Amino acid sequence: MPHLQLRLHSGKAGLDRQVTWTHTSDLPEPWQWVSAGELLMTNGMSFGSSADEQEHLLEELHRVGASGLAIGEDMFCPRLTQRFTRASERLELPVLWIRYPMPFVAISRAVAEATLLEQSQRLMRTARIYDALRHSTAGDAARSRIADALTKELRCAVFVCDRVSGEAYHPDGPHPSDDIKETVRTASQGTLAAGARSVLTPGGVEVLVGEVPTHDDAVLAVIREGGAALDGVLIQHAATVVALELSQTHLALEHTRRSGAELTAQLIDGRMDQRLARRQLLSSGLDPASSMFVSATCTDERRLRDLHVALWRRRIPHVSAFRSGVAHAVVPGTDEAVEAITASLGPTARVGTGRVLKTVARSAESAREATWALGTAQRTGDPVVRYGTATSWVGMGGVDDARAMVERWLGPLIEHDTQHRTGLVETLEAFLANQRSWQRTAAAMNIHRQTVLYRVHKVEELTGARLSDTADIAQFWLALQSRDLLAGGK
């Protein structure tokens, strides 16, 4: 285009490179904002003056697939070194001078007018990307149909990966290689290219890792081999379509979770038709003869609420419910299921397992066993406690022992509180926690000292114990701890 008055500096062998768009930038590391096929126009304000810096600039532009570099004459560009020129010739990357006062926008307009066909093709490719979502809504959600469709459309291998592990997000893939997984895990160290992070595998293959909108735990990984031209806009559209697919998948999983939560609650409370519950468990892939209850908690409530998604991704059959900061689930009675739950909840996970159900009739008992084991895990700090394999830290052998202890020492107080709303159990707990000080207990409970005195005497009257007796104090303390263990801990 002679009317643009561009003058060639170096890189003549690359003049046949196709220019799909222009990009203007004087930011440091401008290659982070340039996609394949784009011509970078600059006044040279961010150029380094050393040969190393200038050569590095050209190498990075070549790496991201830029079609060329155009520099405004008589502006801010430092003197270009001979190494810069030789690098341009070696890389076959054209470097052009834009004569003053030719406006950059005139060049952009000329490129836009010359690439109308390419823009039309881009729109068609974008439409096909979104059309792929429409065709992928039906079928098994265990495999990412969008990843398969994007691989075909972009002509590059595409994966939807877990941000932390690099594994395929969907249980049936498509699955990336080990090199790709490792690259995804280190993506934060990459540079921006084509709207994504560019990272090289140990074998030298470039992986573009892009954010998936509204799904922080997932990323899009596109494998760019052989310098394939990838449009940054298309990559962003691809990530958006992946986000839509994940939203549809999570919606379906939530529907399944709610159905399972109702069944789980009925099993915990022992209020279900046993034949119907058995059929529902079997339809969820759970045989009561080999399944068990698990109760789990951690400091990250989001992980607890998304436990059903984590188990789905690991193909662990389950039904689950979330109650008062604790996730309760029926899963296969295997180490694999327990390990999956522990791993998905992170380093603060505390997990308790009950014994195998054997029959639906024993479900409520198994749930209590799991809750008891969870309480023990919370107090001992063990990540996993299996009911029946260890004695709780308060010396109780199991649920029956703990219930007997609570009934003997706290039963009369609980019954009196239920009938009269007197707060005797609460007062007893505060009294022991404050070293049996009337004044401190009153301050802690924000009540009058005389009220504390009355309630403590009422505790002694109802139980026949004496809170001045060390043995009775120990029994009350054990009873309170047993109550907390039965409730899954505090």
mmCIF file of all heavy atoms in Angstrom, residues 23 30 69-70 72 96 120 208 269 280 289 306 315 321 350 369 386 415 457:
data_model
loop_
_atom_site.group_PDB
_atom_site.id
_atom_site.type_symbol
_atom_site.label_atom_id
_atom_site.label_comp_id
_atom_site.label_asym_id
_atom_site.label_seq_id
_atom_site.Cartn_x
_atom_site.Cartn_y
_atom_site.Cartn_z
ATOM 1 N N HIS A 23 -2.280 -3.432 16.188
ATOM 2 C CA HIS A 23 -2.356 -3.145 17.616
ATOM 3 C C HIS A 23 -1.339 -2.061 17.934
ATOM 4 O O HIS A 23 -0.180 -2.151 17.533
ATOM 5 C CB HIS A 23 -2.052 -4.397 18.441
ATOM 6 C CG HIS A 23 -2.297 -4.223 19.907
ATOM 7 N ND1 HIS A 23 -3.520 -4.452 20.488
ATOM 8 C CD2 HIS A 23 -1.478 -3.799 20.901
ATOM 9 C CE1 HIS A 23 -3.435 -4.200 21.783
ATOM 10 N NE2 HIS A 23 -2.205 -3.800 22.053
ATOM 11 N N PRO A 30 5.328 -5.263 25.149
ATOM 12 C CA PRO A 30 4.118 -5.135 24.319
ATOM 13 C C PRO A 30 3.649 -6.448 23.726
ATOM 14 O O PRO A 30 2.483 -6.566 23.330
ATOM 15 C CB PRO A 30 4.558 -4.152 23.226
ATOM 16 C CG PRO A 30 6.042 -4.294 23.160
ATOM 17 C CD PRO A 30 6.478 -4.536 24.570
ATOM 18 N N LEU A 69 6.532 -5.385 12.952
ATOM 19 C CA LEU A 69 6.679 -4.278 13.890
ATOM 20 C C LEU A 69 6.824 -2.990 13.085
ATOM 21 O O LEU A 69 7.668 -2.907 12.192
ATOM 22 C CB LEU A 69 7.916 -4.492 14.760
ATOM 23 C CG LEU A 69 8.339 -3.344 15.682
ATOM 24 C CD1 LEU A 69 7.268 -3.085 16.747
ATOM 25 C CD2 LEU A 69 9.683 -3.659 16.348
ATOM 26 N N ALA A 70 5.965 -2.004 13.389
ATOM 27 C CA ALA A 70 6.021 -0.713 12.698
ATOM 28 C C ALA A 70 6.301 0.377 13.732
ATOM 29 O O ALA A 70 5.596 0.472 14.747
ATOM 30 C CB ALA A 70 4.708 -0.437 11.972
ATOM 31 N N GLY A 72 7.092 4.507 14.668
ATOM 32 C CA GLY A 72 6.936 5.894 14.233
ATOM 33 C C GLY A 72 8.288 6.589 14.107
ATOM 34 O O GLY A 72 9.078 6.569 15.065
ATOM 35 N N LEU A 96 9.205 -2.021 10.120
ATOM 36 C CA LEU A 96 8.871 -0.924 9.218
ATOM 37 C C LEU A 96 8.940 0.405 9.953
ATOM 38 O O LEU A 96 8.741 0.475 11.169
ATOM 39 C CB LEU A 96 7.453 -1.122 8.654
ATOM 40 C CG LEU A 96 7.147 -2.477 8.000
ATOM 41 C CD1 LEU A 96 5.656 -2.608 7.737
ATOM 42 C CD2 LEU A 96 7.934 -2.633 6.704
ATOM 43 N N SER A 120 -15.102 -11.536 8.312
ATOM 44 C CA SER A 120 -16.305 -12.327 8.093
ATOM 45 C C SER A 120 -16.084 -13.773 8.507
ATOM 46 O O SER A 120 -16.940 -14.395 9.152
ATOM 47 C CB SER A 120 -16.710 -12.257 6.618
ATOM 48 O OG SER A 120 -17.816 -13.096 6.353
ATOM 49 N N LEU A 208 -1.560 -22.435 25.799
ATOM 50 C CA LEU A 208 -2.237 -21.192 26.169
ATOM 51 C C LEU A 208 -3.280 -21.527 27.231
ATOM 52 O O LEU A 208 -4.183 -22.329 26.987
ATOM 53 C CB LEU A 208 -2.906 -20.561 24.946
ATOM 54 C CG LEU A 208 -1.964 -20.161 23.809
ATOM 55 C CD1 LEU A 208 -2.762 -19.609 22.633
ATOM 56 C CD2 LEU A 208 -0.945 -19.137 24.284
ATOM 57 N N ASP A 269 -32.307 -39.312 59.788
ATOM 58 C CA ASP A 269 -33.372 -39.220 60.800
ATOM 59 C C ASP A 269 -34.120 -40.536 60.979
ATOM 60 O O ASP A 269 -34.970 -40.644 61.880
ATOM 61 C CB ASP A 269 -34.361 -38.124 60.408
ATOM 62 C CG ASP A 269 -33.702 -36.749 60.350
ATOM 63 O OD1 ASP A 269 -32.663 -36.578 61.014
ATOM 64 O OD2 ASP A 269 -34.203 -35.865 59.618
ATOM 65 N N GLN A 280 -33.701 -46.149 45.782
ATOM 66 C CA GLN A 280 -33.070 -44.868 45.465
ATOM 67 C C GLN A 280 -31.546 -44.940 45.616
ATOM 68 O O GLN A 280 -30.814 -44.361 44.807
ATOM 69 C CB GLN A 280 -33.648 -43.773 46.363
ATOM 70 C CG GLN A 280 -35.086 -43.416 46.026
ATOM 71 C CD GLN A 280 -35.637 -42.356 46.966
ATOM 72 O OE1 GLN A 280 -35.360 -42.361 48.169
ATOM 73 N NE2 GLN A 280 -36.420 -41.446 46.433
ATOM 74 N N ALA A 289 -25.448 -52.820 51.246
ATOM 75 C CA ALA A 289 -24.631 -53.882 51.843
ATOM 76 C C ALA A 289 -23.160 -53.507 51.926
ATOM 77 O O ALA A 289 -22.423 -54.068 52.738
ATOM 78 C CB ALA A 289 -24.788 -55.162 51.032
ATOM 79 N N ASP A 306 -19.603 -27.787 47.823
ATOM 80 C CA ASP A 306 -19.313 -28.327 46.490
ATOM 81 C C ASP A 306 -18.784 -29.757 46.551
ATOM 82 O O ASP A 306 -18.250 -30.259 45.564
ATOM 83 C CB ASP A 306 -18.280 -27.438 45.782
ATOM 84 C CG ASP A 306 -18.868 -26.108 45.353
ATOM 85 O OD1 ASP A 306 -20.111 -25.996 45.324
ATOM 86 O OD2 ASP A 306 -18.096 -25.181 45.053
ATOM 87 N N ARG A 315 -15.815 -39.713 40.117
ATOM 88 C CA ARG A 315 -16.692 -40.854 39.841
ATOM 89 C C ARG A 315 -16.952 -41.706 41.097
ATOM 90 O O ARG A 315 -16.940 -42.940 41.051
ATOM 91 C CB ARG A 315 -16.124 -41.730 38.725
ATOM 92 C CG ARG A 315 -16.366 -41.156 37.328
ATOM 93 C CD ARG A 315 -16.462 -42.256 36.283
ATOM 94 N NE ARG A 315 -16.925 -41.760 34.996
ATOM 95 C CZ ARG A 315 -18.188 -41.513 34.667
ATOM 96 N NH1 ARG A 315 -19.131 -41.686 35.571
ATOM 97 N NH2 ARG A 315 -18.503 -41.084 33.478
ATOM 98 N N ALA A 321 -25.805 -34.400 52.013
ATOM 99 C CA ALA A 321 -26.573 -33.270 52.549
ATOM 100 C C ALA A 321 -25.629 -32.417 53.385
ATOM 101 O O ALA A 321 -24.634 -32.909 53.935
ATOM 102 C CB ALA A 321 -27.742 -33.764 53.399
ATOM 103 N N ARG A 350 -11.583 -32.727 58.232
ATOM 104 C CA ARG A 350 -11.760 -33.675 59.325
ATOM 105 C C ARG A 350 -12.924 -34.580 58.923
ATOM 106 O O ARG A 350 -14.027 -34.094 58.651
ATOM 107 C CB ARG A 350 -12.046 -32.974 60.656
ATOM 108 C CG ARG A 350 -10.902 -32.101 61.147
ATOM 109 C CD ARG A 350 -9.682 -32.929 61.531
ATOM 110 N NE ARG A 350 -8.575 -32.097 61.990
ATOM 111 C CZ ARG A 350 -7.589 -31.664 61.211
ATOM 112 N NH1 ARG A 350 -7.594 -31.972 59.919
ATOM 113 N NH2 ARG A 350 -6.611 -30.923 61.701
ATOM 114 N N GLU A 369 -22.784 -42.985 64.042
ATOM 115 C CA GLU A 369 -21.397 -43.447 64.158
ATOM 116 C C GLU A 369 -20.435 -42.497 63.442
ATOM 117 O O GLU A 369 -19.362 -42.160 63.957
ATOM 118 C CB GLU A 369 -21.271 -44.855 63.568
ATOM 119 C CG GLU A 369 -21.988 -45.915 64.383
ATOM 120 C CD GLU A 369 -22.088 -47.237 63.648
ATOM 121 O OE1 GLU A 369 -21.706 -47.286 62.452
ATOM 122 O OE2 GLU A 369 -22.559 -48.226 64.254
ATOM 123 N N ARG A 386 -12.178 -43.587 61.791
ATOM 124 C CA ARG A 386 -13.169 -44.606 61.435
ATOM 125 C C ARG A 386 -13.791 -45.165 62.707
ATOM 126 O O ARG A 386 -13.077 -45.601 63.606
ATOM 127 C CB ARG A 386 -12.525 -45.712 60.602
ATOM 128 C CG ARG A 386 -12.123 -45.266 59.200
ATOM 129 C CD ARG A 386 -11.321 -46.347 58.475
ATOM 130 N NE ARG A 386 -11.163 -46.036 57.064
ATOM 131 C CZ ARG A 386 -10.253 -45.207 56.577
ATOM 132 N NH1 ARG A 386 -9.425 -44.592 57.409
ATOM 133 N NH2 ARG A 386 -10.161 -44.982 55.280
ATOM 134 N N GLU A 415 -34.091 -32.371 80.187
ATOM 135 C CA GLU A 415 -35.550 -32.467 80.321
ATOM 136 C C GLU A 415 -36.110 -31.230 81.027
ATOM 137 O O GLU A 415 -37.128 -30.657 80.595
ATOM 138 C CB GLU A 415 -35.916 -33.732 81.097
ATOM 139 C CG GLU A 415 -37.421 -33.928 81.226
ATOM 140 C CD GLU A 415 -37.764 -35.207 81.989
ATOM 141 O OE1 GLU A 415 -36.823 -35.957 82.354
ATOM 142 O OE2 GLU A 415 -38.963 -35.449 82.219
ATOM 143 N N HIS A 457 -27.290 -24.790 92.021
ATOM 144 C CA HIS A 457 -27.939 -25.588 93.060
ATOM 145 C C HIS A 457 -29.027 -26.482 92.463
ATOM 146 O O HIS A 457 -29.237 -27.611 92.935
ATOM 147 C CB HIS A 457 -28.536 -24.674 94.133
ATOM 148 C CG HIS A 457 -27.491 -24.056 95.008
ATOM 149 N ND1 HIS A 457 -27.735 -22.940 95.798
ATOM 150 C CD2 HIS A 457 -26.187 -24.385 95.227
ATOM 151 C CE1 HIS A 457 -26.630 -22.617 96.452
ATOM 152 N NE2 HIS A 457 -25.671 -23.484 96.113
#
